[in-house]
């Protein structure tokens, strides 16, 4: 019987680990692909904007040098072009379609036989388009040249070759691939290290069915929360809001990191901390504001309490609070807020769970810890009973304070303080 049970527990542990790895890899890949897509789209716009800016600059400079001979113009423009790293080719063509200047000097003085720009539909005097020239596929910006009296004197082309733009894009993609592989590697290493550290706690935790159910629920809430965020990112990309997508990715990364950091700093028990992180995600899914009290601090060396007991007690109390707020907020419109606190001293533990639900009616306050008593229907009523039995088996006590339409606060004390 025990070997079968251990086999089931190991199978469950492996399944959870596989799910964790799939989530880590898929979320990292999706975020990386989304970031790369946004970066490439932004880069495409930067190529065009850079060509336009350069075309405007060359046009202004040419107004002061249009009287130069080709022998004078060529070295002057060469000195300008050598500092322009975002443009591959610059060509100045006069109104007779004769090239007055070209980055490739052998074309200076030859007749331009390419696409003739049409400035009639571009009052700004410049525009950008993709075309094909002697150097191959390219993106070019045309800028009209006018004399002081408004006479058309020709045009300037600033060109970026497709192969040059693709080289930049490939470098960006390579960088994203390197960062993605690095991120996945680091995440897998961290996951492996944490998995080894919490293996014992996890196996103890899964000995209790209620504890297992809480862990699965927490994972489901985290998975659902991740899915919602991915849908938001995908939606922003599909409607073209790339800057907002980038901002959203950065914000959720910061919030998630801060949440985990806050919990881990307050609670040094990995299983207990993992439960709280999962319940924060579950609360968010239920539209409940989860508040971790500022002075909360759980130090494992202060008091010896099994991890599965901490998870069972806290999980049941938080789940009851969430259920109560979901039930009463529909009819009363109360603000949904859950405040959780955990405090330890040498040989002392205090856990508090306060909700903003409708409170416990006075006529049932003496019955809530009875086995089988529940206001949620048949087949319920063992959560608080089981929680109380577990607390009392460790020499602790559980009590509550409640007020109608204000909410309820449960308090658990274990240790020397709990025996008073």
């Amino acid at each position: 019987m025990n070997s079968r049970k251990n086999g089931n527990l190991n199978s469950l542990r492996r399944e959870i680990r596989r799910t964790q790895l799939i989530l880590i890899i898929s979320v990292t890949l999706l975020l990386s692909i989304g970031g790369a897509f946004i970066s490439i789209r932004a880069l495409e716009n930067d190529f065009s904007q850079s060509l336009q800016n350069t075309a405007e600059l060359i046009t202004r400079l040419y107004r002061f040098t249009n009287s130069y001979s080709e022998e004078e113009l060529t070295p002057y423009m060469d000195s300008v072009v050598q500092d322009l790293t975002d443009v591959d080719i610059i060509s100045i063509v006069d109104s007779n379609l004769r090239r007055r200047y070209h980055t490739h000097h052998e074309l200076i003085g030859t007749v331009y036989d390419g696409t003739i720009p049409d400035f009639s539909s571009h009052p700004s005097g410049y525009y950008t388009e993709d075309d094909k020239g002697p150097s191959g596929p390219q993106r070019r910006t045309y800028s009209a040249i006018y004399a002081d009296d408004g006479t058309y004197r020709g045009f300037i082309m600033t060109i970026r070759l497709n192969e040059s733009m693709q080289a930049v894009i490939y470098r960006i993609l390579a960088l994203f691939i390197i960062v993605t592989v690095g991120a996945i590697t680091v995440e897998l290493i961290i996951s492996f290290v944490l998995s080894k550290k919490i293996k014992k706690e996890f196996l103890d935790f899964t000995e209790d069915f209620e504890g297992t159910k809480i862990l699965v629920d927490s994972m489901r809430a985290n998975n659902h929360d991740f899915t919602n965020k991915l849908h938001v990112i995908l939606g922003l990309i599909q409607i073209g809001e790339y800057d907002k997508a980038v901002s959203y990715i950065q914000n959720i990364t910061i919030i998630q990191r801060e949440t985990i950091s806050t919990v881990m700093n307050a609670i040094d028990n990995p299983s207990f901390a993992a439960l709280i992180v999962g319940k924060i995600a579950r609360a968010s899914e239920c539209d409940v504001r989860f508040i971790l009290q500022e002075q909360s601090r759980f130090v494992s060396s202060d008091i010896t309490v099994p991890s599965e007991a901490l998870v069972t007690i806290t999980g049941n109390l938080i789940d009851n609070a969430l259920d109560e707020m979901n039930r009463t907020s529909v009819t009363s419109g109360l603000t949904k807020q859950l405040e959780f606190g955990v405090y330890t001293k040498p040989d002392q533990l205090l856990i508090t769970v306060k909700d903003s639900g409708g409170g416990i009616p006075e006529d049932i306050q003496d019955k809530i810890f009875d086995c089988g008593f529940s206001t949620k229907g048949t087949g319920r009523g063992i959560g608080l009973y089981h929680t109380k039995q577990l607390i009392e088996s460790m020499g602790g006590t559980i009590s509550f304070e409640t007020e109608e339409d204000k909410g309820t606060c449960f308090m658990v004390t274990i240790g020397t303080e709990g025996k008073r």
Side-chain angles (χ1 to χ4, degrees):
M1 183 69 176
N2 287 335
S3 61
R4 181 180 177 184
K5 187 174 182 181
N6 289 335
N8 290 335
L9 293 177
N10 288 330
S11 176
L12 176 62
R13 183 171 63 86
R14 286 193 296 269
E15 184 63 29
I16 292 174
R17 190 171 181 179
R18 280 196 297 269
T19 303
Q20 181 186 28
L21 293 178
I22 291 172
L23 281 173
I24 288 173
I25 294 173
S26 60
V27 170
T28 302
L29 286 176
L30 283 172
L31 291 178
S32 181
I33 291 171
F37 178 78
I38 294 170
S39 296
I40 291 173
R41 289 298 297 267
L43 202 57
E44 289 282 347
N45 293 332
D46 288 343
F47 288 147
S48 298
Q49 188 61 52
S50 178
L51 286 173
Q52 291 179 10
N53 292 340
T54 302
E56 289 185 72
L57 172 64
I58 299 300
T59 302
R60 291 194 184 97
L61 293 175
Y62 185 69
R63 289 174 184 169
F64 299 102
T65 60
N66 57 13
S67 60
Y68 284 15
S69 64
E70 290 177 2
E71 291 74 15
E72 295 173 320
L73 182 62
T74 298
Y76 175 77
M77 292 305 302
D78 282 346
S79 67
V80 174
V81 171
Q82 68 180 359
D83 294 326
L84 301 175
T85 58
D86 294 334
V87 177
D88 295 319
I89 298 172
I90 292 177
S91 180
I92 301 176
V93 182
D94 63 21
S95 56
N96 295 319
L97 299 182
R98 182 172 172 275
R99 294 185 177 94
R100 291 210 64 209
Y101 174 79
H102 197 283
T103 304
H104 299 153
H105 291 179
E106 64 271 15
L107 295 177
I108 296 175
T110 61
V111 176
Y112 172 74
D113 57 356
T115 302
I116 306 300
D118 178 15
F119 295 107
S120 60
S121 57
H122 298 87
S124 62
Y126 63 87
Y127 67 95
T128 302
E129 66 178 11
D130 292 323
D131 205 339
K132 189 172 183 179
S135 302
Q138 55 195 239
R139 181 169 299 177
R140 55 176 64 169
T141 292
Y142 298 100
S143 179
I145 303 172
Y146 296 100
D148 292 338
D149 59 3
T151 304
Y152 177 71
R153 300 290 298 275
F155 60 92
I156 293 174
M157 288 191 300
T158 53
I159 299 171
R160 189 75 183 262
L161 300 177
N162 279 14
E163 62 182 22
S164 174
M165 292 188 291
Q166 288 171 356
V168 176
I169 291 174
Y170 290 154
R171 286 198 296 270
I172 293 295
L173 289 176
L175 177 61
F176 268 95
I177 291 173
I178 292 172
V179 171
T180 301
V181 172
I184 291 176
T185 301
V186 171
E187 289 167 346
L188 292 178
I189 292 173
I190 293 175
S191 174
F192 178 76
V193 172
L194 288 178
S195 178
K196 291 192 67 175
K197 286 184 177 180
I198 68 174
K199 180 178 179 180
K200 183 179 182 303
E201 287 85 353
F202 176 81
L203 290 175
D204 291 341
F205 164 66
T206 52
E207 290 293 329
D208 188 286
F209 173 78
E210 193 68 25
T212 303
K213 177 179 179 297
I214 292 170
L215 178 60
V216 174
D217 287 344
S218 298
M219 287 184 62
R220 185 181 296 113
N222 269 313
N223 187 25
H224 193 273
D225 197 41
F226 263 120
T227 303
N228 287 336
K229 289 180 172 63
L230 291 177
H231 285 166
V232 172
I233 294 169
L234 179 61
L236 289 172
I237 291 175
Q238 288 178 334
I239 64 177
E241 295 287 353
Y242 306 117
D243 291 340
K244 290 184 179 179
V246 172
S247 178
Y248 184 77
I249 292 171
Q250 293 171 340
N251 287 340
I252 62 175
T253 301
I254 293 172
I255 293 171
Q256 184 73 4
R257 185 167 58 244
E258 289 179 347
T259 299
I260 295 175
S261 176
T262 299
V263 174
M264 294 300 291
N265 287 335
I267 301 172
D268 69 358
N269 181 301
S271 297
F272 195 16
L275 173 79
I276 301 306
V277 171
K279 291 306 179 184
I280 290 174
R282 170 79 192 286
S284 176
E285 185 181 0
C286 297
D287 196 26
V288 173
R289 183 186 178 199
F290 191 108
I291 299 175
L292 178 65
Q293 296 289 1
E294 291 184 0
Q295 302 301 320
S296 291
R297 184 80 176 166
F298 180 89
V299 181
S300 297
S301 59
D302 281 346
I303 187 167
T304 302
V305 179
S307 295
E308 65 269 24
L310 289 170
V311 169
T312 299
I313 294 167
T314 305
N316 280 339
L317 292 179
I318 291 178
D319 282 347
N320 281 347
L322 293 175
D323 289 343
E324 170 62 14
M325 285 185 286
N326 284 333
R327 181 180 66 83
T328 58
S329 65
V330 175
T331 56
S332 66
L334 294 173
T335 301
K336 295 191 288 185
Q337 179 172 293
L338 188 151
E339 298 179 34
F340 173 76
V342 58
Y343 315 89
T344 61
K345 295 179 181 180
D347 298 320
Q348 296 179 22
L349 167 66
L350 171 65
I351 297 173
T352 63
V353 177
K354 181 179 180 182
D355 66 62
S356 59
I360 302 173
E362 186 174 351
D363 58 336
I364 66 170
Q365 291 180 11
D366 294 334
K367 305 175 184 177
I368 63 170
F369 294 111
D370 293 349
C371 182
F373 178 80
S374 175
T375 61
K376 303 174 185 178
T378 59
R380 308 293 292 271
I382 62 172
L384 283 177
Y385 170 79
H386 178 59
T387 300
K388 183 180 180 183
Q389 294 297 310
L390 181 58
I391 293 169
E392 290 179 347
S393 71
M394 294 183 291
T397 62
I398 181 171
S399 59
F400 64 91
E401 295 178 356
T402 186
E403 186 175 353
E404 186 177 359
D405 295 332
K406 293 289 184 65
T408 302
C409 180
F410 280 89
M411 294 154 287
V412 175
T413 56
I414 297 175
T416 54
E417 193 168 293
K419 296 177 182 177
R420 291 177 183 175

